[in-house]
Amino acid sequence: ETRTPPQETAPTGTLMSRRSYQLSTRRARKGSISCPFILLQFVGAATPAVIPSRSHHHRLQLPLLVRGGGPVSSASREMSSNAGGKKGDEFAIGGGAINEKERLYAKGQGTAEIMTSSPADDEPNRVRSSTGTSSSFDPNSLSHSLHAAVGMDRYPNYLSRWSFDDMDELEASLERQLREVRQQKQSIRERRDGIALLIRNIVAEEKKKGGGNGCLTSILEPPTSWEEVRDNILDPQASDAIFKSKIFRGVFKTSPNHSSSPSVEDVLNGKVSLKLDPAQLEVWMEQEMFDVYSFPLLSTEFCRRVRNLIRRTVSDGEKEEFKHLNLGRRPVDLDTVGLGWVNDLLFHLVIRPLSQHLFTETEEFQDLDWRQGYIAGYSVNPSAPAATPRQRLVSHTDDSEVTLNIGLGDEFEGGALQFRGLRGTDEEGRLLGEFKPQLGTALLHAGRHLHEVTPVTSGDRYAFIIWARSWKSLRNTTCPCCWLNRKQGSTCVCGPRWN
């Protein structure tokens, strides 16, 4: 159902004015949050809904609000902890589980089901301190740990209110957390070193074959000119929209007047903040649904080269020397395989400038300052050697303010991306629409928009994902609970009112 508010029209003018209109419409239908401390996950299939066809999608100038779909079917839900394979197997192949701690479903109000952690023993409300006496502080409680952290930050001599038993429990829990940080840090360092050795071996093998610009590993070298970006990386429509913006005016001319344009190196290093012209963006982008935008971004050839390098890396990672790296059982991080420059290019050239136009009001951040890019693979026959460990992915939100999702192919059926509403709104959990991935086409959406990947029914599906965060603005003044549930206002304990 495509709805336009009666007796209202979107104001003409710039892209920002249209966004303001859309923002006011969204605020009118924003719902309250009754349980801000609970993480909601809506897992499984939704009741059938009529999804607008591609021909019904609108350009950005129209106030498109896509609603619809029915409530999530309770009969189709399952435990996400078991959706990925054998319980306790961190790197299980198949299924659609997300990488988080085990949770159980408990019946909530309405049609939603609330995820809760399972009790550790028969006495979930009692813990024992190091002295053997009962303790009020539970080191296994995330809520207790957060209360302790906030208390230590806010009050001088905060622990004077605590018993020694509780202080012992807190100290022991922090020591365990510190050990976990050190263990993960060491494990990650060893894994990255192993992947770096694997990449060096692949480069050496390619050189023996003759190397050259067309070889498999030539993509590891970042571009040095905007001509390379235009001709070898971007889709022609993306090139037109980006390089016709004022900041790039004359960049391809041989006259000395184009020297004021930013260099590729400066953009890759984040030394300049790019601004793209709204008029060019309107021609380039389409709004699939609220806060979800699509646009052609990468060339078919560049997608093929990225996909081939990932496949080769993961395939060689199955050799006995590198099998402990578990490359094909996790999403492949581009920084670790030598493609960090691709993350940097798309972050500074596309994600940051587009987000300034599309999300700064609805997501309330000033700028984005962090990114992570990775390749996720899905298949009708999940396989570690093919870098396709999943067949689907359950409904979830990303740990990002903004997510860029680019289709890398290959040929497949199924694997649609379904969106189920923004957290903290009355549409949370409802099927709003779905998008069929297309080679080289990007989706840009709010990270806290619930989404899932439907089962791949044939072939292999690859996606290039970039998460972008705002550590210096939004996350600097918002606690994890308010951030996750998109609670707006100045009352958060991490905000300026309390600090």
Side-chain angles (χ1 to χ4, degrees), residues 274-345:
L274 300 179
K275 295 184 181 300
L276 302 181
D277 297 350
Q280 303 298 332
L281 304 184
E282 291 179 4
V283 177
W284 179 29
M285 305 176 69
E286 292 183 348
Q287 186 176 22
E288 300 293 333
M289 61 202 76
F290 187 80
D291 266 5
V292 180
Y293 305 87
S294 69
F295 47 95
L297 181 57
L298 298 180
S299 69
T300 300
E301 174 61 18
F302 187 75
C303 290
R304 183 192 66 80
R305 294 175 67 197
V306 172
R307 191 173 66 242
N308 287 348
L309 178 62
I310 297 301
R311 279 176 166 170
R312 169 68 182 280
T313 302
V314 171
S315 177
D316 283 14
E318 288 296 301
K319 297 176 180 178
E320 194 61 34
E321 180 183 1
F322 300 106
K323 205 162 187 176
H324 66 283
L325 300 175
N326 290 305
L327 265 179
R329 296 173 178 265
R330 310 184 197 178
V332 181
D333 186 282
L334 262 66
D335 284 294
T336 63
V337 298
L339 290 177
W341 70 265
V342 183
N343 292 334
D344 292 331
L345 180 68

Side-chain angles (χ1 to χ4, degrees), residues 205-220:
E205 291 176 10
E206 290 297 312
K207 285 184 177 179
K208 290 180 180 178
K209 296 178 182 178
N213 292 331
C215 76
L216 180 70
T217 56
S218 62
I219 195 175
L220 297 174

Side-chain angles (χ1 to χ4, degrees), residues 7 35 72 84 88 136 154 167 173 176 325 367 380 394 424 429-430 443 461 474:
Q7 319 242 326
C35 299
V72 180
S136 300
R154 287 181 60 190
M167 283 187 271
S173 69
R176 286 193 296 270
L325 300 175
D367 194 8
V380 65
V394 300
R430 296 173 57 187
L443 282 182
R461 174 191 187 274
L474 181 60

Side-chain angles (χ1 to χ4, degrees), residues 41-335:
Q41 293 285 346
F42 297 86
V43 182
T47 54
V50 177
I51 307 301
S53 66
R54 183 90 178 157
S55 61
H56 292 155
H57 295 169
H58 297 270
R59 294 294 181 184
L60 289 181
Q61 59 263 33
L62 297 181
L64 178 63
L65 298 176
V66 181
R67 304 166 68 99
V72 180
S73 170
S74 60
S76 63
R77 297 186 182 91
E78 59 188 279
M79 289 181 61
S80 72
S81 60
N82 292 338
K86 182 179 177 181
K87 183 176 180 180
D89 185 355
E90 182 182 359
F91 308 119
I93 296 298
I98 54 179
N99 298 321
E100 64 174 19
K101 65 183 180 183
E102 181 176 343
R103 300 177 189 278
L104 300 176
Y105 285 105
K107 224 23 178 170
Q109 294 181 351
T111 59
E113 287 185 351
I114 298 173
M115 281 185 156
T116 60
S117 298
S118 59
D121 50 41
D122 294 332
E123 294 183 297
N125 297 321
R126 291 179 61 85
V127 294
R128 310 296 291 183
S129 73
S130 58
T131 61
T133 60
S134 296
S135 172
S136 300
F137 174 75
D138 182 357
N140 298 313
S141 166
L142 175 61
S143 179
H144 283 198
S145 298
L146 291 175
H147 275 287
V150 172
M152 292 286 289
D153 179 71
R154 287 181 60 190
Y155 301 109
N157 300 316
Y158 172 71
L159 293 182
S160 63
R161 300 168 172 83
W162 289 42
S163 70
F164 280 109
D165 289 333
D166 287 342
M167 283 187 271
D168 286 343
E169 291 286 1
L170 174 61
E171 184 178 15
S173 69
L174 293 176
E175 291 287 356
R176 286 193 296 270
Q177 191 77 2
L178 182 57
R179 286 195 297 271
E180 177 65 21
V181 169
R182 289 169 174 162
Q183 289 170 3
Q184 286 198 27
K185 180 180 176 182
Q186 181 62 25
S187 175
I188 291 168
R189 177 181 287 113
E190 293 173 357
R191 186 171 190 268
R192 290 178 179 176
D193 289 345
I195 294 174
L197 175 60
L198 173 61
I199 294 296
R200 288 196 296 270
N201 289 352
I202 294 175
V203 171
E205 291 176 10
E206 290 297 312
K207 285 184 177 179
K208 290 180 180 178
K209 296 178 182 178
N213 292 331
C215 76
L216 180 70
T217 56
S218 62
I219 195 175
L220 297 174
E221 294 296 327
T224 58
S225 70
W226 290 118
E227 285 81 4
E228 291 181 68
V229 175
R230 177 193 63 190
D231 299 338
N232 301 332
I233 299 173
L234 296 180
D235 180 274
Q237 293 184 56
S239 294
D240 284 346
I242 293 172
F243 294 122
K244 285 183 179 179
S245 293
K246 293 179 182 178
I247 194 169
F248 287 110
R249 188 162 295 169
V251 71
F252 298 120
K253 296 181 179 179
T254 57
S255 64
N257 295 329
H258 81 277
S259 58
S260 60
S261 298
S263 67
V264 175
E265 183 179 5
D266 285 343
V267 171
L268 290 177
N269 293 330
K271 293 182 178 180
V272 293
S273 180
L274 300 179
K275 295 184 181 300
L276 302 181
D277 297 350
Q280 303 298 332
L281 304 184
E282 291 179 4
V283 177
W284 179 29
M285 305 176 69
E286 292 183 348
Q287 186 176 22
E288 300 293 333
M289 61 202 76
F290 187 80
D291 266 5
V292 180
Y293 305 87
S294 69
F295 47 95
L297 181 57
L298 298 180
S299 69
T300 300
E301 174 61 18
F302 187 75
C303 290
R304 183 192 66 80
R305 294 175 67 197
V306 172
R307 191 173 66 242
N308 287 348
L309 178 62
I310 297 301
R311 279 176 166 170
R312 169 68 182 280
T313 302
V314 171
S315 177
D316 283 14
E318 288 296 301
K319 297 176 180 178
E320 194 61 34
E321 180 183 1
F322 300 106
K323 205 162 187 176
H324 66 283
L325 300 175
N326 290 305
L327 265 179
R329 296 173 178 265
R330 310 184 197 178
V332 181
D333 186 282
L334 262 66
D335 284 294

